Amino acid sequence: MVRFLLLFCVLLGSATIYSQNKQQIDSINKLYVQGLNIPQDSIVALFQKNIKAAEKISYELGVADGYSQLGLVYSYQGKYEESTKSTIQAITIYEKLNQTDKIAGYYAGLGYSMKYRDLKNAFYYMQKGKAVAEANNLEVLLKDIYNNYGVLKEINNELDSALYYFNRGLEIKIKINDTIGIPYSWSNMAGVYGLQENFSKSREYFNKSLQQRLVWADSLGIAENYTQLGEVFMAEKKWSDAIPFMHKSLPISLKKQYRNLTQYNYKMLSDIFKKLNNTDSALYYFEQYSAIKDSVHSIKVQESIAALNIEFETEKKQNEILEQRAQLAEKDLEVRRKNTLIFGSLGLALILGLLGYLLYNQQKMKNRQLQKEAELTSALAKIETQNKLQEQRLRISRDLHDNIGAQLTFIISSIDNLKFGFSDIGEKLGNKLNSISSFTQQTIYELRDTIWAMNKENITFEDLQTRIANFIEHAKNASGRTDFSFNIDENVDETHIFSSVEGMNIYRIIQEAVNNALKYASADEIEVNISEKENKYTVEITDTGIGFNPDTTELGNGLNNMKKRAREIGGNIKFVSKINKGTKVILNFPK
């Protein structure tokens, strides 16, 4: 208390010295009067004197700040007409100086201060502050303006509108990571849900607020949330459920000496036990409530006495202040000289730092340019390598087609000439020649498939689908007694692109499975299905043939090759078969 008195005396005694200096006028205008136990009339005189000093040197911002502080003091005194008049005078000057943040803040603050005595004007001034803040995108102000505007809406029983503005304020707080403000928005929203009798929603938001406050150990906020959760249960007439929350709040408010909250908790517990017909507990908590109520009243009396003592001490100190003025003026001059030296040194350091930063930034840009050039050179080399590989692939595929393909075709032609050139070829030799011709024809088909894959760096799903369909159609023509079907689920992504290795392996596995069903299983029906689920493709080749026992049958080269191909594309393959029940080949591989 003595410390506050000395601060006030120094400021009051130095008003004459400050009257010619903007910095000193600002220092008085920034005096935080809310927590000082200083006679309010003396504070009013101080700010009025400071306003005149600012007007004398045409310092308009100082005049405006003085009026805004004067409005605050009048508000504490309950002189609301004088408070409004001073605040409006401050805003008028701020508008002239285009101080948009202060215009918005003081309009909104003026409106909020009227919420319980003039709701119509409270809305008017709050809306003006909100409009200025929105037009200039002042998010730091808007997060609180929206919240306070929601309070006005709640007082006016516009509950849906209140929720809307609480939410808008909350969105900004989340955006700028205002961890202290977020729980207050949640608590406000919870209160509105309680008024709407949406008790589950009210509990949900009080709990969210509580969890955040527990993280950063806000004792007052935690205690308030516990009490508010208890109030929700009381509103639902769930008296027993409300008791634990009041009991959680009470020790915190006692320990931290939050007397008003302690008093309220005792009153609520007394009311709850009265509802539960527990008269002993109701009486006990009412007695505790009465005791703390008397204590709070006693503290207020003591504060009033202390304020009177300060007023007496202030008068006693006036003579001492007059003696100190000359000393303060001399010290102020010395401080100015030191400040000039300090600011000069800081300016030089700032210039040197800026030059260093510019040199560093220039070198950094040069390094970044060199890095980009190296990346471009590497990318061009990679593209050149890929082009060479593609040319090599095309050359090999042409050689295969022109040389090996032509030779295989010559073999087939020669076998046909042998069969027609010699009429007495035996049945055994004829069958052998037919077998060689069929094998060679099949080799040509496989060679074409290989050339097809080699000519493509990537294989689209549509290309693969067409290739599989052509193969099945060919197999159907070759085996007249077997029915074929080829199905693709509608959920399959037909825009997917496979590498040439992936596409060829998938195709070869299907080809091998179908050929096995035709050659060894004597199948009447063969079905090929492709589906996609959870970013995985599944290919199933099912036949109705004679089947085999996977546990006792040794896998041949064909089945082992199918397993190897599945591993190469990062998948797995299963063979499900039963004697006389057919066989199912299941291939799974990632998308």
Side-chain angles (χ1 to χ4, degrees):
M1 189 177 296
V2 175
R3 177 169 58 84
F4 292 146
L5 171 63
L6 291 176
L7 174 62
F8 169 71
C9 292
V10 170
L11 289 171
L12 183 62
S14 304
T16 303
I17 300 170
Y18 288 168
S19 62
Q20 301 300 320
N21 187 290
K22 291 182 181 180
Q23 185 178 0
Q24 293 159 337
I25 289 171
D26 290 340
S27 68
I28 293 179
N29 283 337
K30 291 178 181 177
L31 176 62
Y32 185 62
V33 300
Q34 185 174 2
L36 299 180
N37 291 321
I38 299 173
Q40 297 293 328
D41 289 338
S42 299
I43 293 288
V44 169
L46 175 64
F47 285 125
Q48 286 175 338
K49 197 169 186 178
N50 211 43
I51 289 169
K52 289 180 181 178
E55 288 174 338
K56 188 175 181 180
I57 61 172
S58 301
Y59 181 31
E60 291 187 298
L61 182 59
V63 175
D65 289 341
Y67 276 123
S68 64
Q69 287 290 69
L70 197 58
L72 182 64
V73 176
Y74 282 137
S75 177
Y76 293 153
Q77 292 178 331
K79 298 178 180 178
Y80 299 119
E81 187 174 344
E82 290 91 335
S83 174
T84 301
K85 183 179 177 181
S86 295
T87 305
I88 292 295
Q89 283 179 291
I91 293 172
T92 302
I93 300 172
Y94 287 140
E95 287 176 335
K96 179 181 175 183
L97 300 174
N98 198 29
Q99 298 277 322
T100 52
D101 55 339
K102 292 189 177 183
I103 296 167
Y106 281 108
Y107 265 136
L110 181 61
Y112 192 69
S113 69
M114 295 179 172
K115 60 184 179 295
Y116 292 123
R117 53 190 173 84
D118 187 351
L119 193 57
K120 181 179 178 181
N121 275 324
F123 272 113
Y124 171 75
Y125 287 118
M126 181 69 81
Q127 286 165 353
K128 292 194 74 168
K130 181 169 72 71
V132 174
E134 287 174 338
N136 293 277
N137 197 28
L138 304 175
E139 288 192 330
V140 174
L141 284 175
L142 278 173
K143 67 182 177 64
D144 297 319
I145 290 175
Y146 285 145
N147 190 75
N148 292 341
Y149 196 59
V151 172
L152 296 188
K153 292 289 187 180
E154 182 180 344
I155 293 170
N156 204 38
N157 204 31
E158 299 177 57
L159 301 184
D160 289 335
S161 293
L163 279 176
Y164 170 77
Y165 283 104
F166 288 149
N167 259 313
R168 291 195 69 178
L170 177 61
E171 288 171 1
I172 299 174
K173 291 176 182 179
I174 292 172
K175 177 182 175 182
I176 67 176
N177 196 28
D178 180 9
T179 55
I180 295 175
I182 289 170
Y184 285 97
S185 292
W186 285 335
S187 290
N188 286 337
M189 293 168 70
V192 175
Y193 285 127
L195 292 173
Q196 292 178 332
E197 298 186 357
N198 188 346
F199 299 119
S200 61
K201 202 77 172 175
S202 180
R203 264 193 302 276
E204 175 190 343
Y205 277 84
F206 276 135
N207 273 315
K208 286 174 72 171
S209 177
L210 174 62
Q211 296 307 314
Q212 181 65 45
R213 283 166 166 168
L214 286 169
V215 170
W216 50 275
D218 173 15
S219 300
L220 178 58
I222 293 167
E224 285 179 349
N225 281 149
Y226 280 138
T227 299
Q228 289 161 338
L229 284 165
E231 287 179 306
V232 175
F233 284 111
M234 290 177 69
E236 295 180 277
K237 298 183 179 181
K238 296 180 180 179
W239 313 111
S240 298
D241 292 335
I243 294 171
F245 291 99
M246 298 300 180
H247 280 164
K248 287 181 179 180
S249 175
L250 192 55
I252 301 173
S253 63
L254 284 168
K255 181 179 179 181
K256 299 295 183 179
Q257 297 184 1
Y258 304 144
R259 294 178 180 274
N260 290 332
L261 184 59
T262 301
Q263 175 184 338
Y264 185 75
N265 283 332
Y266 280 138
K267 182 66 168 64
M268 292 298 100
L269 284 167
S270 176
D271 291 345
I272 290 169
F273 283 112
K274 190 184 295 184
K275 294 290 185 182
L276 294 173
N277 294 320
N278 188 337
T279 54
D280 290 341
S281 295
L283 180 59
Y284 168 77
Y285 284 112
F286 186 78
E287 289 173 348
Q288 297 299 316
Y289 159 72
S290 299
I292 197 73
K293 183 178 179 182
D294 292 341
S295 173
V296 170
H297 177 71
S298 175
I299 288 170
K300 288 180 180 178
V301 171
Q302 291 173 13
E303 288 175 350
S304 299
I305 293 170
L308 291 173
N309 287 335
I310 289 171
E311 188 172 358
F312 172 75
E313 290 292 330
T314 301
E315 186 177 354
K316 184 179 177 181
K317 291 287 182 179
Q318 291 299 316
N319 293 328
E320 296 177 16
I321 292 171
L322 292 173
E323 295 176 2
Q324 293 172 358
R325 284 183 178 178
Q327 298 175 9
L328 288 171
E330 186 177 347
K331 289 180 179 178
D332 181 64
L333 186 60
E334 184 181 350
V335 168
R336 288 183 191 178
R337 283 198 299 266
K338 290 181 178 178
N339 286 343
T340 302
L341 180 62
I342 291 170
F343 287 135
S345 301
L346 288 174
L348 179 60
L350 182 62
I351 292 171
L352 292 174
L354 183 60
L355 288 173
Y357 172 75
L358 291 174
L359 290 173
Y360 166 76
N361 201 42
Q362 187 177 8
Q363 186 61 39
K364 189 176 179 181
M365 290 177 63
K366 187 182 293 184
N367 292 340
R368 190 181 295 121
Q369 184 67 28
L370 290 172
Q371 182 181 357
K372 287 183 178 179
E373 289 176 0
E375 289 174 355
L376 180 60
T377 302
S378 176
L380 290 173
K382 186 176 179 181
I383 292 170
E384 186 177 354
T385 302
Q386 289 175 343
N387 289 336
K388 288 181 179 178
L389 287 173
Q390 181 67 15
E391 290 174 4
Q392 186 76 355
R393 188 185 292 117
L394 292 172
R395 185 182 61 78
I396 293 171
S397 65
R398 282 197 300 269
D399 289 345
L400 288 172
H401 181 273
D402 295 341
N403 297 330
I404 298 176
Q407 292 171 8
L408 291 172
T409 303
F410 176 75
I411 292 171
I412 293 172
S413 177
S414 297
I415 291 171
D416 290 340
N417 289 336
L418 282 173
K419 287 193 292 183
F420 289 107
F422 298 92
S423 57
D424 57 347
I425 292 176
E427 181 180 352
K428 185 175 181 180
L429 181 57
N431 290 337
K432 189 67 174 177
L433 290 173
N434 287 334
S435 176
I436 293 170
S437 179
S438 297
F439 176 77
T440 306
Q441 187 68 43
Q442 184 62 32
T443 303
I444 289 175
Y445 289 143
E446 292 184 2
L447 180 62
R448 288 174 180 170
D449 291 336
T450 302
I451 293 171
W452 165 72
M454 286 187 67
N455 281 334
K456 293 178 176 289
E457 186 175 348
N458 295 309
I459 296 175
T460 65
F461 191 91
E462 186 179 0
D463 289 339
L464 184 61
Q465 178 184 349
T466 302
R467 204 74 185 177
I468 294 169
N470 288 340
F471 165 71
I472 290 175
E473 187 65 28
H474 177 72
K476 185 188 295 185
N477 294 333
S479 175
R481 67 182 189 82
T482 304
D483 291 331
F484 287 86
S485 64
F486 177 36
N487 305 303
I488 299 175
D489 282 0
E490 60 183 17
N491 63 329
V492 172
D493 179 11
E494 295 190 6
T495 64
H496 184 69
I497 296 176
F498 300 97
S499 70
S500 59
V501 174
E502 289 175 332
M504 198 61 193
N505 280 329
I506 296 166
Y507 176 70
R508 288 297 191 206
I509 289 171
I510 295 172
Q511 188 181 47
E512 183 70 24
V514 172
N515 285 336
N516 286 344
L518 288 172
K519 289 180 182 179
Y520 309 117
S522 301
D524 295 326
E525 295 179 8
I526 298 175
E527 187 175 341
V528 178
N529 295 315
I530 300 177
S531 60
E532 180 187 348
K533 186 177 182 182
E534 297 178 354
N535 286 327
K536 284 188 177 181
Y537 285 114
T538 300
V539 180
E540 294 184 0
I541 304 97
T542 306
D543 68 66
T544 58
I546 60 175
F548 66 94
N549 188 345
D551 297 328
T552 60
T553 303
E554 183 177 352
L555 300 181
N557 288 334
L559 299 183
N560 282 324
N561 285 338
M562 291 166 72
K563 283 189 171 184
K564 182 179 177 183
R565 290 183 184 279
R567 285 195 299 271
E568 286 178 358
I569 61 174
N572 62 79
I573 194 165
K574 291 193 299 184
F575 305 104
V576 181
S577 183
K578 289 185 180 180
I579 303 298
N580 297 324
K581 294 290 183 68
T583 300
K584 180 181 286 188
V585 178
I586 305 171
L587 169 65
N588 291 298
F589 59 93
K591 184 175 178 181

